[in-house]
Amino acid sequence: MILICDDDAAILSSLTLVLNRAGYETAGVSSPRAAVEFVKDTRPELILMDMNYTSSTDGEEGLTLLQQ
């Protein structure tokens, strides 16, 4: 299963649609907190993750999420 983490609804739905059509099972979350909660119970095989959840574009939020 592929976990898609992105706060942009258009990106989240587009990736979900493309990957599902290609035969992959997906799950989507829209916040870092939801991603952490999701992986506590489910172990995805792959995570596609947004690195910026605010207007900052330095990627720090994504790096923090990876550490968590």
Side-chain angles (χ1 to χ4, degrees):
M1 185 237 297
I2 300 172
L3 176 61
I4 305 165
C5 309
D6 203 302
D7 60 334
D8 185 323
I11 291 173
L12 189 59
S13 64
S14 296
L15 283 172
T16 298
L17 179 66
V18 168
L19 291 169
N20 287 343
R21 284 188 176 176
Y24 295 100
E25 178 185 358
T26 62
V29 296
S30 60
S31 72
R33 177 174 284 152
V36 170
E37 290 300 315
F38 185 90
V39 298
K40 284 181 181 178
D41 298 323
T42 306
R43 297 288 182 200
E45 295 174 65
L46 177 69
I47 299 175
L48 298 176
M49 185 179 70
D50 186 2
M51 295 298 286
N52 303 304
Y53 284 89
T54 62
S55 60
S56 172
T57 58
D58 60 8
E60 284 298 315
E61 293 162 312
L63 294 173
T64 299
L65 180 55
L66 283 174
Q67 291 173 350
Q68 294 174 344

